[in-house]
C-alpha cells in the first residue's frame, strides 16, 4: 500500500506535481536556504530526522525525493536499478570534465565499458598499485624527515593527503615514466573540476559557452586536459605493450587493442579524466578524515600504532562517518515504490550515505568513532560509501587496500596530533573536505 497525502496537501506546494511523500513545506525550505547552501549535510540529516525515511521536497520539476532508510537506499540502488538512470545535475555537471566516462555514462555503452575496464582493477593492477603506494610513502617519509629535522612541524594534512593520492593515481594510471605530462594533466583536471564546483554552487549555472571568468578557466583547463591526454596516448602508441607482456598500468588496459571493442581516443580521454576525478580526491578525503578522527580519539591512534592491521577497520569506519561521496543521485525512468511510497517517473532521487550511515538501528551511537564495528565485516544494509548494485564503485577494493596501506605505514612512523580540540567544520563539495584545511602537528615516533 502506498502513502496517501492528507486531504488538502495534494496541492500543498501550489503546483501540479503530485505529493506522494511527506516533506518540508516551501516556507521551511526558504527559511533554511542558507543552510542548504552552506551546510547541506546538516540539512539532509535534519530533513530525514524531521520528515522520515522517504521525503519529498517542495520542488515542482523534477519531483525530488530523499531516501534515507537502509532498505530504501538498497531499493533505489540495487532492487530497482533498472528503473534508475544517472541523468541528474550531479552527473551532468561532472561530465563536463569526465565526458561519458564510466562514472557518468548511462547507456548500453556503460555495460560494455564496465566489462572491458574490469582488468584495470584486477589483482595484478592492485599489486602494481601497492608498489606505487610504497614508493610514494617513501618520498613522504623523506619529506617529513626533513620537515621535522629540528623537532615537530605543523602540516596541512588535507593538502598532504591530496598530493599523496594524486601521485599514486598518476602512477597507477600511467606508470612512473611520464611525470612531466602527468603533472600537466592532473593540474588541468583539477582546475576543470574546481570550475565544476564553482558552477555547482551557482544556483543559476551559466552555459559553458558564455565567457564568464569561471567558464573561460574551465574551457582552458579542458583544452589542456585534451592536449595532455593526446600527448600521453601518442607516446604510448610509440611504445606499445608487446603482445602477451604483462600490463604496466591502467593506460595499457584503456589502450588494449585486443579488447572486443577497443576504446576510441575520445573514450580513453574520458576514462582517464574519470579515474583521476573519481579516484584521487575520494581516497584523499577519507585519509584526511581518518587522521582527524584518530587525532580526536588518541586511544584508537594508540591501538593502531601497536596493531597496524587495524588500519582496515579504521578506514572502513572513517568512510562511515565521512563518506567522501556524500550524495548519490538517480533519475527515475518509470515510477517505483520505495518503502511504501510511490516515486513517479522522471523524479530526482537522492540517497545520502552521510545520512544512511547515521541510522541508529544499524549503528548504535552513530556519531562515535568505533573501528571495531567492522571487526566482522560491513553489514549488508546501511553502509554504502562505495554505492551499491551494478554501479558499485569499480575502484573499491583498490581504494580500501591503498587506504589501509597508507594508514598503517604512516601510523608506524609518525604521530599526527590535533592543534586544538574543536570540531572541524566540513565543506561538502565534490567530496567532504575540512573547511580551511586540516593543520596538525607532525612528530616522528621514536623506535
Ligand atoms: C575511498 C575511495 C572511493 C570512494 C568513497 C568511492 C565512491 C564511489 C561511489 C559512491 C560510487 C557510486 C556512484 C553512484 O552509484 O552513483 C563510485 C563509482 C565509481 N568509482 Fe569510486 N570511490 C572511491 C575510489 C575510487 C577509485 C580509486 C577509482 C578509480 C581509480 C574509482 C572509480 C570509480 C568509477 C569509475 C565509478 C563508476 C562505476 C560505474 O558506474 O560503473 N573510485 N565510487
Amino acid at each position: 500500500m502506498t502513502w496517501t497525502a492528507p486531504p488538502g496537501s495534494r496541492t500543498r506546494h501550489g503546483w501540479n506535481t503530485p505529493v506522494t511523500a511527506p516533506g518540508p513545506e516551501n516556507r521551511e525550505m526558504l527559511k533554511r536556504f542558507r543552510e542548504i547552501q552552506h551546510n547541506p549535510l546538516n540539512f539532509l540529516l535534519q530533513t530525514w530526522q524531521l520528515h522520515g525515511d522517504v521525503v519529498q521536497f517542495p520542488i515542482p520539476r523534477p519531483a525530488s525525493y530523499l531516501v534515507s532508510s537502509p532498505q530504501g537506499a538498497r531499493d533505489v540502488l540495487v532492487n530497482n536499478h533498472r528503473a534508475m538512470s544517472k541523468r541528474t545535475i550531479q552527473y551532468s555537471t561532472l561530465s563536463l570534465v569526465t565526458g561519458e566516462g564510466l562514472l557518468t555514462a548511462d547507456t548500453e555503452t556503460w555495460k560494455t565499458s564496465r566489462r572491458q575496464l574490469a582488468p584495470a582493477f584486477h589483482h595484478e593492477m592492485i599489486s602494481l598499485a601497492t608498489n606505487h603506494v610504497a614508493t610514494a610513502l617513501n618520498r613522504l617519509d623523506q619529506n617529513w624527515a626533513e620537515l621535522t629535522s629540528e623537532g615537530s612541524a605543523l602540516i596541512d594534512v588535507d593538502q598532504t593527503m591530496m598530493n599523496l593520492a594524486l601521485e599514486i593515481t598518476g602512477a597507477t594510471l600511467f606508470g612512473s615514466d611520464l611525470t612531466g605530462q602527468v603533472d600537466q594533466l592532473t593540474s588541468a583536471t583539477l582546475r576543470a573540476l574546481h570550475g565544476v564546483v564553482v558552477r555547482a554552487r551557482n544556483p543559476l549555472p551559466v552555459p559553458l559557452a558564455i565567457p564568464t571568468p569561471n567558464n573561460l578557466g574551465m574551457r582552458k583547463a579542458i583544452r589542456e586536459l585534451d592536449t595532455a591526454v593526446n600527448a600521453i596516448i601518442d607516446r604510448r602508441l610509440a611504445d606499445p605493450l608487446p603482445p602477451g607482456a604483462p600490463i604496466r598500468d591502467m593506460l595499457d588496459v584503456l589502450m588494449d587493442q585486443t579488447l572486443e571493442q577497443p576504446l576510441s581516443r575520445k573514450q580513453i580521454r574520458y576514462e582517464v579524466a574519470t579515474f583521476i576525478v573519481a579516484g584521487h580526491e575520494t581516497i584523499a578525503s577519507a585519509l584526511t578524515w581518518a587522521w582527524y578522527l584518530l587525532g580526536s580519539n588518541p586511544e584508537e591512534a594508540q591501538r593502531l600504532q601497536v596493531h597496524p592491521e587495524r588500519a582496515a577497520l579504521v578506514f572502513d569506519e572513517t568512510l562511515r562517518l565521512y563518506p567522501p561521496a556524500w550524495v548519490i543521485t538517480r533519475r527515475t525512468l518509470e515510477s517505483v515504490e520505495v518503502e511504501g511510497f510511490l516515486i513517479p517517473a522522471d523524479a530526482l532521487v537522492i540517497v545520502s550515505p552521510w545520512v544512511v550511515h547515521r541510522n541508529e538501528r544499524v549503528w548504535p551511537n552513530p556519531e562515535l568513532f568505533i573501528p571495531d564495528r567492522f571487526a566482522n565485516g560491513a553489514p549488508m544494509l546501511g553502509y554504502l560509501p562505495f554505492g551499491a548494485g551494478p554501479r558499485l564503485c569499480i575502484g573499491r577494493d583498490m581504494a580500501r587496500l591503498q587506504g589501509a596501506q597508507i594508514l598503517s605505514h604512516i601510523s608506524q612512523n609518525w604521530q599526527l596530533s590535533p592543534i586544538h580540540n574543536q570540531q572541524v567544520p566540513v565543506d561538502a563539495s565534490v567530496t567532504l573536505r575540512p573547511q580551511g584545511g586540516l593543520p596538525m602537528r607532525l612528530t616522528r615516533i621514536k623506535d
Side-chain angles (χ1 to χ4, degrees):
M1 228 212 29
T2 50
W3 180 82
T4 320
S9 68
R10 244 175 209 289
T11 53
R12 73 173 183 216
H13 308 320
W15 30 264
N16 291 329
T17 306
V19 176
T20 65
E25 300 287 336
N26 279 330
R27 221 169 326 125
E28 183 183 339
M29 291 285 277
L30 279 177
K31 235 172 43 202
R32 304 186 69 183
F33 186 72
R34 253 190 75 80
E35 192 188 10
I36 296 172
Q37 296 256 301
H38 296 284
N39 194 349
L41 298 170
N42 208 40
F43 170 73
L44 291 175
L45 190 65
Q46 288 197 357
T47 300
W48 166 58
Q49 287 163 344
L50 285 171
H51 300 284
D53 286 340
V54 179
V55 168
Q56 183 175 5
F57 293 108
I59 297 170
R61 235 167 299 276
S64 303
Y65 294 79
L66 174 69
V67 174
S68 304
S69 62
Q71 183 59 51
R74 198 167 178 82
D75 286 347
V76 172
L77 299 175
V78 186
N79 303 334
N80 288 307
H81 75 87
R82 281 202 179 77
M84 304 284 166
S85 91
K86 276 198 161 187
R87 304 247 165 262
T88 63
I89 296 182
Q90 181 188 21
Y91 288 113
S92 67
T93 314
L94 213 53
S95 70
L96 292 174
V97 183
T98 64
E100 288 275 296
L102 207 51
L103 182 63
T104 51
D106 198 24
T107 50
E108 275 300 301
T109 43
W110 164 78
K111 255 194 214 153
T112 316
S113 303
R114 174 97 189 192
R115 192 164 24 85
Q116 298 206 122
L117 297 185
F121 297 89
H122 278 170
H123 185 72
E124 311 117 75
M125 191 60 77
I126 292 185
S127 66
L128 282 178
T130 308
N131 297 339
H132 293 307
V133 174
T135 311
L137 284 170
N138 227 326
R139 209 185 330 263
L140 184 76
D141 283 340
Q142 283 166 18
N143 282 348
W144 281 2
E146 271 168 41
L147 273 178
T148 54
S149 59
E150 317 247 297
S152 68
L154 198 62
I155 60 159
D156 181 356
V157 173
D158 179 51
Q159 200 52 54
T160 312
M161 292 301 123
M162 284 288 277
N163 293 343
L164 181 69
L166 201 52
E167 183 179 339
I168 295 166
T169 307
T172 316
L173 255 170
F174 307 113
S176 336
D177 58 330
L178 296 158
T179 330
Q181 280 149 330
V182 171
D183 283 352
Q184 200 188 352
L185 169 66
T186 43
S187 134
T189 309
L190 295 187
R191 273 181 287 126
L193 194 61
H194 174 76
V196 162
V197 172
V198 173
R199 233 179 121 72
R201 290 223 168 110
N202 183 344
L204 291 172
V206 187
L208 196 58
I210 297 185
T212 62
N214 188 52
N215 280 352
L216 287 175
M218 235 172 111
R219 270 160 47 187
K220 181 160 177 284
I222 291 170
R223 270 199 313 275
E224 284 176 28
L225 173 63
D226 290 338
T227 312
V229 177
N230 276 329
I232 291 175
I233 294 175
D234 286 339
R235 269 212 29 193
R236 189 54 63 92
L237 282 173
D239 171 27
L241 187 66
I247 43 171
R248 298 163 290 191
D249 48 34
M250 287 182 170
L251 188 59
D252 276 340
V253 179
L254 295 178
M255 292 184 66
D256 184 354
Q257 290 307 305
T258 66
L259 291 176
E260 195 183 309
Q261 291 175 29
L263 272 64
S264 66
R265 207 173 249 267
K266 205 159 89 183
Q267 280 173 305
I268 297 174
R269 131 85 172 91
Y270 290 164
E271 299 304 353
V272 162
T274 297
F275 289 175
I276 295 175
V277 168
H280 101 277
E281 192 176 316
T282 43
I283 295 195
S285 158
L287 288 168
T288 295
W289 292 110
W291 296 120
Y292 167 68
L293 288 165
L294 288 166
S296 338
N297 295 269
E299 65 300 338
E300 283 297 343
Q302 195 71 41
R303 290 177 80 190
L304 176 61
Q305 199 198 321
V306 180
H307 300 284
E309 69 283 2
R310 289 181 59 80
L313 307 182
V314 169
F315 197 66
D316 286 347
E317 173 69 339
T318 303
L319 288 173
R320 181 185 71 80
L321 277 169
Y322 291 90
W326 55 283
V327 275
I328 297 175
T329 54
R330 293 288 187 269
R331 188 91 178 225
T332 49
L333 294 167
E334 55 193 73
S335 66
V336 290
E337 198 183 305
V338 175
E339 295 273 37
F341 296 92
L342 188 85
I343 299 184
D346 211 25
L348 170 72
V349 183
I350 302 170
V351 172
S352 168
W354 175 273
V355 177
V356 178
H357 292 176
R358 282 167 171 72
N359 193 313
E360 267 180 338
R361 278 175 289 155
V362 186
W363 309 105
N365 296 315
E367 291 298 339
L368 298 186
F369 174 64
I370 309 176
D372 274 333
R373 295 183 202 271
F374 289 88
N376 298 318
M380 252 277 279
L381 281 179
Y383 186 64
L384 47 143
F386 295 101
R391 306 301 299 249
L392 178 79
C393 176
I394 198 170
R396 178 184 66 172
D397 295 349
M398 189 177 275
R400 288 185 67 233
L401 275 174
Q402 292 188 354
Q405 187 184 354
I406 294 168
L407 287 178
S408 87
H409 176 92
I410 294 181
S411 62
Q412 294 309 286
N413 302 292
W414 302 96
Q415 185 164 0
L416 286 164
S417 327
I419 54 167
H420 58 66
N421 52 14
Q422 280 137 30
Q423 211 174 350
V424 169
V426 189
D427 189 0
S429 173
V430 177
T431 64
L432 301 179
R433 305 274 296 277
Q435 245 172 54
L438 181 65
M440 289 184 93
R441 184 150 296 283
L442 173 73
T443 349
R444 188 190 271 283
I445 295 172
K446 301 272 176 305
D447 306 310

